[in-house]
Amino acid sequence: QQQEDAAAGKNAAVLLQQLESKTLPAKPRPEVETAEPVDPALPEVTYMGYTLLGSIRVDSVGIELPILDQWSEEMLKVAPCRYAGSISGGNMIIMGHNYKSHFHPLHKVQVGAQVEIENTIGTVFRYRVAKIESLHRTEGQKLPSQEYPLTIFTCSPGGLERTVLRCEIIK
């Protein structure tokens, strides 16, 4: 587990460095049928075979990580991923492993903390944590929210629960 965590941290750092360098050309998604809706607010870039949407930052707990477009068990070992939804649709869900180098610090976040999503061309979307929930791992159907435009989640230590941050837009 520690080796996997360390490798995940290194992989995420490399991808974040590339995003911050702004040397990768961002391009809108092609108009094709995909599992998730096209999100014009998040133009993607591809690097090392990974499709990146941007980065997530939670300064209060020292999180700054890239966001991968789609999720799988293998992609989660690299960086947090879009689980579902979109920024434009107001229903974005981001998930990440409970690695110390990834989303473990989410357990320390408090209501009122600021969360930023920066897309690949430098546009920043600001949110405030409005609610923190704990869901059992079998309650995945409760993750989507019409009330909160951004949901972030990770497993609790042990994996039985999910720590879920519900965020509202800062205007």
Side-chain angles (χ1 to χ4, degrees), residues 44-166:
E44 64 186 34
V45 297
T46 302
Y47 180 71
M48 294 175 33
Y50 297 106
T51 302
L52 299 143
L53 296 179
S55 61
I56 183 168
R57 193 170 27 255
V58 187
D59 287 337
S60 66
V61 292
I63 290 175
E64 185 171 10
L65 294 162
I67 304 168
L68 299 178
D69 178 44
Q70 299 289 324
W71 77 273
S72 70
E73 284 302 319
E74 287 307 308
M75 287 184 178
L76 284 170
K77 292 178 182 178
V78 175
C81 301
R82 179 174 64 136
Y83 178 76
S86 66
I87 293 284
S88 298
N91 60 352
M92 177 78 128
I93 303 173
I94 299 172
M95 68 185 298
H97 269 315
N98 187 25
Y99 295 143
K100 288 184 173 148
S101 61
H102 283 187
F103 273 3
H104 181 75
L106 287 182
H107 301 288
K108 298 176 188 171
V109 171
Q110 296 185 11
V111 169
Q114 185 167 312
V115 175
E116 294 180 348
I117 306 290
E118 183 174 346
N119 71 13
T120 57
I121 57 173
T123 304
V124 177
F125 302 89
R126 289 181 177 81
Y127 300 87
R128 181 186 75 80
V129 176
K131 183 178 180 182
I132 300 172
E133 298 177 308
S134 181
L135 297 177
H136 191 270
R137 70 177 182 196
T138 61
E139 295 180 299
Q141 77 281 3
K142 293 183 179 179
L143 286 169
S145 170
Q146 296 300 317
E147 187 177 352
Y148 299 102
L150 177 64
T151 298
I152 305 165
F153 75 98
T154 190
C155 295
S156 63
L160 293 178
E161 302 288 319
R162 306 288 181 255
T163 297
V164 181
L165 307 181
R166 304 291 189 176

Side-chain angles (χ1 to χ4, degrees), residues 11-30:
N11 289 332
V14 167
L15 292 174
L16 188 63
Q17 182 180 12
Q18 289 300 311
L19 279 172
E20 290 175 345
S21 73
K22 304 283 190 259
T23 58
L24 300 171
K27 60 183 186 275
R29 292 169 173 261

